[in-house]
């Protein structure tokens, strides 16, 4: 065998090896991409069944190499975005969640079974607009409403019954968290009606309320509230969650 023939054989062997490696890489990439899409679609349907939203939520499962996550049944980082989230009369305009340690077995993923999903830790951010909050207050029989005030404050106004009298009042409010609910409390009520101590206490009670954050699907532990011009931005979280559709 001459040198030229040997060189040709070596080149052919190298090309064949490169082709095999490239083909294998493409197959693995395709399998990885298909597995990622399957997992994202599965989680999206699970969240849709859990929340009852009409549009399929947006789901992104992170990780450079995805097949190992599929085979282990544990997804390190999952991002979810849901629009128009409702529970009874309360509506959240938008909710996004960062989930850590989402457990979905390989068998359930392949069978597309609707089963509870275990989540190690969640961080949620939700938008509650003043308009949606006022709708909730009206639907639950509270004759008060919120609106924006100067300097980033919130004004609460309304006409309520105090010992058989209709009393109109307004107040700046303090917004906080109370055991999984959004709490709204007046700071100093202003009214043109003269009231005794008992009447003032009842008026303050009428202007104080809680809004349960029941629409949040991944834990209602409120960790922060920011007041914007037209909405409250709510941060919540949870850990060791068993989410059942």
């Amino acid at each position: 065998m001459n040198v030229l023939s040997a060189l040709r054989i070596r080149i052919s062997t190298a090309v064949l090896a490169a082709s095999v490696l490239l083909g294998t890489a493409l197959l693995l990439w395709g399998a990885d991409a298909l597995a990622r899409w399957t997992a994202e679609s599965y989680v999206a349907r699970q969240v849709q069944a859990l929340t009852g939203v009409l549009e399929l939520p947006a789901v992104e499962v992170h990780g450079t190499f995805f097949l190992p996550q599929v085979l282990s049944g544990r997804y390190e980082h999952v991002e979810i975005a849901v629009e128009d989230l409702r529970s009874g009369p309360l509506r959240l305009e938008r909710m996004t969640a960062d989930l850590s340690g989402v457990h979905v077995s390989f068998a359930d993923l392949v069978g597309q079974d609707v089963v509870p999903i275990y989540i190690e830790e969640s961080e949620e951010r939700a938008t509650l607009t003043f308009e949606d909050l006022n709708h909730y207050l009206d639907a639950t029989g509270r004759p008060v409403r919120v609106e924006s005030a100067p300097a980033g404050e919130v004004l609460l106004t309304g006409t309520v019954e105090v010992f058989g009298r209709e009393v109109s009042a307004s107040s700046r409010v303090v917004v906080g968290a109370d055991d999984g609910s959004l709490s709204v409390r007046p700071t100093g009520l202003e009214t043109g009606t003269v009231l005794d101590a008992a009447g003032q206490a009842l008026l303050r009670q009428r202007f104080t309320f809680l809004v349960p954050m029941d629409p949040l699907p991944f834990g209602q532990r409120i960790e922060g509230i920011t007041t914007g011009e037209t909405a409250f931005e709510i941060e919540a979280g949870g850990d060791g969650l068993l989410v059942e559709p």
Side-chain angles (χ1 to χ4, degrees):
M1 180 182 297
N2 58 39
V3 176
L4 182 59
S5 298
L7 181 59
R8 288 174 177 172
I9 291 174
R10 289 178 182 177
I11 293 175
S12 298
T13 302
V15 170
L16 178 61
S19 299
V20 170
L21 289 174
L22 179 60
T24 302
L26 289 174
L27 285 174
L28 288 174
W29 177 84
D32 197 85
L34 177 60
R36 189 186 301 271
W37 177 83
T38 301
E40 289 174 345
S41 299
Y42 175 79
V43 173
R45 288 193 295 274
Q46 292 281 78
V47 174
Q48 185 178 41
L50 170 67
T51 60
V53 294
L54 296 179
E55 292 189 12
L56 201 65
V59 175
E60 183 175 359
V61 182
H62 294 274
T64 304
F65 299 105
F66 192 71
L67 283 175
Q69 295 187 72
V70 172
L71 296 175
S72 68
R74 181 184 183 276
Y75 303 93
E76 183 66 30
H77 181 200
V78 179
E79 286 187 314
I80 296 175
V82 182
E83 306 286 344
D84 194 22
L85 190 60
R86 301 172 184 262
S87 178
L90 183 61
R91 173 185 181 267
L92 299 178
E93 182 178 71
R94 177 178 172 83
M95 185 278 300
T96 60
D98 285 338
L99 309 181
S100 302
V102 179
H103 292 251
V104 177
S105 73
F106 180 71
D108 291 332
L109 181 63
V110 172
Q112 296 290 292
D113 296 324
V114 179
V115 298
I117 296 178
Y118 178 74
I119 300 169
E120 295 175 12
E121 187 176 0
S122 72
E123 294 180 0
E124 298 169 285
R125 292 165 298 279
T127 300
L128 173 61
T129 67
F130 295 165
E131 181 181 357
D132 286 327
L133 178 54
N134 286 329
H135 173 78
Y136 170 82
L137 294 172
D138 183 61
T140 53
R142 294 178 174 86
V144 295
R145 61 182 292 109
V146 299
E147 57 188 70
S148 60
E153 295 185 305
V154 178
L155 184 66
L156 188 63
T157 61
T159 300
V160 299
E161 184 177 310
V162 178
F163 297 132
R165 301 166 61 189
E166 294 292 317
V167 177
S168 297
S170 64
S171 175
R172 299 294 197 275
V173 300
V174 173
V175 180
D178 187 338
D179 193 26
S181 296
L182 181 79
S183 67
V184 179
R185 293 182 171 84
T187 59
L189 286 160
E190 298 180 1
T191 178
T193 304
V194 177
L195 299 170
D196 58 16
Q200 292 177 8
L202 184 57
L203 180 63
R204 176 174 291 275
Q205 181 182 335
R206 294 281 193 267
F207 273 69
T208 301
F209 57 88
L210 299 176
V211 183
M213 289 292 101
D214 293 339
L216 293 176
F218 306 115
Q220 287 86 41
R221 186 182 67 227
I222 299 177
E223 299 174 340
I225 301 169
T226 303
T227 302
E229 292 185 2
T230 60
F232 297 115
E233 299 296 332
I234 303 164
E235 297 180 7
D239 49 70
L241 304 170
L242 188 63
V243 179
E244 301 185 61

